[in-house]
Amino acid sequence: MGGQAGIQALEPRPGDPEITPELVDEHGITRGEYDQIRDVLGRDATYTELGLFSALWSEHCGYKNSKPLLKLLPTEAPWVLQGPGENAGVIDIGDGYAVAFKIESHNHPSAIEPYQGAATGVGGILRDVFTMGARPIAVLDALRFGPLSSPRVRYLFAGVVKGVGDYGNCVGIPNIGGETWFDESYEGNPLVNAMAIGLMKKEDLIRATASGPGNPILAVGARTGRDGIHGATFASEELSDEADARRPQVQVGDPFTEKLLLEASLELIRSGHIVGIQDMGAAGLASASTEMAARAGTGVDIDVARVPVREPGMTPYEILLSESQERMLVVAKAGHEDEVVRILEKWELEAAVIGRVTDDGLYRVREGDRIVAEIPGRAIVDCPTYTRDAIESQEVRRLREWDPGELATIDDDRTPSEKLLSLMGAPNIASKAWVHEQYDSTVRTNTVQPPGGDAGVLRIRDTRRGIAATVDCNARYVYLDPRRGGMIAVAEAARNLVCVGARPRAVTDNLNFGNPHKPEVYFQLRESTLGMAEACRALETPVVGGNVSLYNENPRGAIFPTPVVGMVGVIDDVSKSIGAAFRTAGDAILLLGRNTEELGASEYLKTIHGRTAGQVPRVDLATERSLQHAVLAMIDAGLLASAHDCAEGGLAVCLAESAVFRLEEPRGFEVTLEDDLPMDALLFGEAQGRIVVSCTEADVDGVLELATAHGVPARRIGTVGEADGDATIEIQATATTVRVPATELALEYHTAIPRIMAAPESAGAVGD
């Protein structure tokens, strides 16, 4: 196949290296892919073109190994205004309002420069939201690290949390929730996923398109430097022992410029002077300009000599691929350039016309009078896609088939009370207040439910409505059974939302996996995606956008497969929202759902016995749906005082968390369980489809009636106690009694992570 009409032969740019097979390899392009590039161009690529294809055909930008699987996810619903393919998804929340939201990863940068890696992850996801015309109103984060016993892990943990907090706090966006997990599989490759939510009037929605031949293209915001060059390619390969040498590919953020850019962008969108706007994120100017043109079916002609730079002597290759932060690409209406510049100057930001939209479909880059790249626009954004071999790991299969019943043969003199204390202090269960207290969760004064509960809640001013958001994924489940684990990630996120009174509406996902060329990793990716797709269809939560982060492994191995689910829900009357904490002595405690003998894959096995093994708990999506509808009906009727999802640590941990949710006011309770189950499975098994609720004595019958009407098993199991120095939590089962002073349990739960992080070895530079 020959080159396309209109593409001319280009002379090598003086000073650029010769295109050799070795140089192509260094750019992460296979020999077969380079043959495709030559066919498209009808010639060898220039050095600038090679860099463009390297970035835009990387996994991070092109989704070459995941795009066929992403097509399996449901993406449509009557309330979806914008699905995948834009900077962020958008849903209608009623009363003329819409929310835009998206989750993105900054894993590799955070592994080598935790503070800036995390900070710029927050900055990037905020820009994805406000380029849709939405004002950011919240951020959340999903973090994964190795065991906190490692000084290196504590350094990474501290740096990431400080980076997330500093950036969001400086811009003035509340952090309303998240999750933090620790496991050996993340020791050399932490995960930093940031989610942002923005609010807009439906009519303010704008899309990132370069439409209208002749319209000017402007670079807006910060100047372009050499930081972050080939960041997208870096994120599309495994971390090596020499990863620290990649520090120059980690961007440096400036939240104060971000705040100015946010305000300027929203004013530009409202002004009517522009037709499209996009963040210069991964692959920088190259990605933004090619994607905007592709969406509109147009071409672009860019002169990199006009791009404002902060370093002398930058080449076209460097300018196009730089990932310097706080930059936007704007397509203005012809003749409106001066008005755009005036708005930017008002906000003390630069704007420069760097090119024009064309009608020939070509992506053309100039350096003054010299053309350095000329590529059919569709060819550069439509990268090759692959379906890999998928084979389940035999080791994982053996682990899944292990029977927890074997524990009965092990001498263990720890009492159930001691085991509960150990679980409440385990980093995966213990309070994450050490994390979210470094974030401003109340700025803008719209926060109804702060971090620490099942989901964060915000009010929508001038309405009765609210929105809730959560992020969730039990990666241990996904590791042992990818399809079932993917289903549970969606189902648990939805349970988290209904526990605060929100109707689940849509999902943004972040698929974090290892190297897809390995059959066992591709198996995890495929099966978990299928599981998520099935659950999203059953629970009517379409996927409206997200991110794929592969190659999350290093010489010590791959991470646990971690498909993080970010979910947003709508509350019709935010005044009815409730939390997880028991509130009043004498309230009844009820269990919705059924206890079953399912101890496999639990936090109990990991914390108490050091095992990641066993069958993942079963999940029945129809039952989950009924449970969620029942709880929403109960909250709408004003019957519940609290609701808490039963998840990691099982029923005993769920009850204890509701009792000691507030360190300064731990409550006691008395619970009786009559189930004929092995004690460890009854107390600590993680059977799905269960929510613990509390209500007044007068409302017990109403709760039970609504449960019956929805086909949900329900029973009263206990009573909330006092909040005083003598308060005790007590669980009476057929074969044992768990009894622990509430203050002792609260101290273990709330101080576990601060105690670990106060270790002398955790000290170290985490700043910028």
Side-chain angles (χ1 to χ4, degrees), residues 164-184:
V164 169
D166 283 1
Y167 203 101
N169 293 351
C170 287
V171 181
I173 310 299
N175 188 309
I176 64 167
E179 58 169 358
T180 307
W181 260 68
F182 305 92
D183 186 87
E184 291 84 354

Side-chain angles (χ1 to χ4, degrees), residues 22 38 45 49 54 68 81 130 151 186 232 370-371 379 395 440 463 484 486 504 515-516 525 718 728 744:
E22 292 74 22
R38 292 188 80 257
E49 290 171 336
S54 172
L81 303 179
F130 67 71
Y186 304 106
R370 178 187 290 111
I371 296 178
E395 177 188 359
D440 190 335
T463 76
R484 192 176 288 183
N515 186 339
L525 176 61
T728 299
E744 183 179 351

Side-chain angles (χ1 to χ4, degrees), residues 222-574:
R223 287 181 167 242
T224 297
R226 288 189 168 94
D227 52 322
I229 293 173
H230 268 307
T233 310
F234 171 43
S236 303
E237 60 189 32
E238 295 179 19
L239 287 170
S240 69
D241 289 332
E242 291 75 38
D244 276 355
R246 310 300 290 268
R247 285 180 185 271
Q249 293 173 345
V250 179
Q251 310 94 325
V252 178
D254 178 359
F256 301 103
T257 300
E258 177 95 348
K259 174 62 173 174
L260 297 175
L261 192 59
L262 186 163
E263 300 298 342
S265 297
L266 293 179
E267 184 170 342
L268 280 174
I269 292 167
R270 293 192 301 267
S271 73
H273 295 311
I274 69 173
V275 297
I277 183 170
Q278 178 157 329
D279 170 38
M280 293 194 214
L285 172 58
S287 178
S289 53
T290 56
E291 290 176 0
M292 291 182 78
R295 292 188 189 107
T298 58
V300 295
D301 192 316
I302 290 172
D303 185 353
V304 293
R306 298 183 180 182
V307 176
V309 296
R310 64 170 184 258
E311 300 181 46
M314 290 188 68
T315 66
Y317 180 104
E318 293 172 325
I319 293 169
L320 288 167
L321 298 181
S322 167
E323 295 182 9
S324 295
Q325 294 291 285
E326 293 86 37
R327 299 177 304 150
M328 311 292 281
L329 194 68
V330 171
V331 177
K333 295 177 180 177
H336 292 241
E337 298 93 328
D338 290 345
E339 287 86 350
V340 170
V341 171
R342 181 185 57 77
I343 290 172
L344 269 296
E345 288 178 343
K346 168 187 170 183
W347 294 101
E348 301 179 0
L349 295 170
E350 281 193 85
V353 176
I354 64 169
R356 299 278 169 183
V357 179
T358 64
D359 60 3
D360 59 9
L362 295 178
Y363 184 74
R364 187 179 295 108
V365 180
R366 306 174 186 273
E367 184 185 28
D369 295 332
R370 178 187 290 111
I371 296 178
V372 295
E374 191 169 79
I375 307 167
R378 290 301 324 176
I380 198 169
V381 295
D382 291 339
C383 76
T385 59
Y386 303 96
T387 299
R388 306 288 183 185
D389 291 334
I391 303 173
E392 183 175 19
S393 162
Q394 291 302 307
E395 177 188 359
V396 172
R397 182 175 294 179
R398 286 192 297 272
L399 288 171
R400 188 171 64 246
E401 292 171 353
W402 176 77
D403 182 4
E406 293 181 17
L407 295 176
T409 65
I410 299 174
D411 290 333
D412 187 352
D413 58 1
R414 288 168 291 185
T415 67
S417 298
E418 291 169 334
K419 292 175 180 178
L420 176 59
L421 271 170
S422 294
L423 280 168
M424 293 293 281
N428 283 346
I429 289 177
S431 168
K432 306 306 185 298
W434 185 90
V435 176
H436 54 71
E437 284 176 356
Q438 298 185 51
Y439 306 153
D440 190 335
S441 60
T442 59
V443 63
R444 298 184 180 274
T445 68
N446 291 320
T447 304
V448 176
Q449 297 275 357
D454 287 298
V457 178
L458 295 171
R459 68 173 59 86
I460 305 301
R461 287 187 184 275
D462 302 320
T463 76
R464 298 177 65 185
R465 294 183 181 275
I467 62 166
T470 187
V471 290
D472 202 276
C473 178
N474 187 318
R476 189 182 298 123
Y477 292 169
V478 186
Y479 173 69
L480 290 169
D481 190 330
R483 188 174 294 204
R484 192 176 288 183
M487 294 168 63
I488 290 174
V490 175
E492 185 172 344
R495 286 201 304 273
N496 288 339
L497 293 183
V498 301
C499 282
V500 299
R503 185 170 64 257
R505 267 308 186 225
V507 162
T508 178
D509 57 15
N510 208 135
L511 307 183
N512 305 274
F513 290 80
N515 186 339
H517 295 264
K518 298 178 179 179
E520 65 274 16
V521 171
Y522 193 79
F523 175 85
Q524 295 169 340
L525 176 61
R526 184 191 71 187
E527 292 299 301
S528 61
T529 303
L530 287 167
M532 292 171 66
E534 184 176 350
C536 286
R537 282 191 293 269
L539 301 179
E540 294 186 281
T541 52
V543 178
V544 297
N547 173 246
V548 178
S549 175
L550 305 183
Y551 302 96
N552 288 291
E553 53 184 287
N554 57 57
R556 289 178 289 278
I559 61 162
F560 273 177
T562 313
V564 173
V565 172
M567 190 179 288
V568 172
V570 178
I571 305 174
D572 292 333
D573 185 349
V574 74

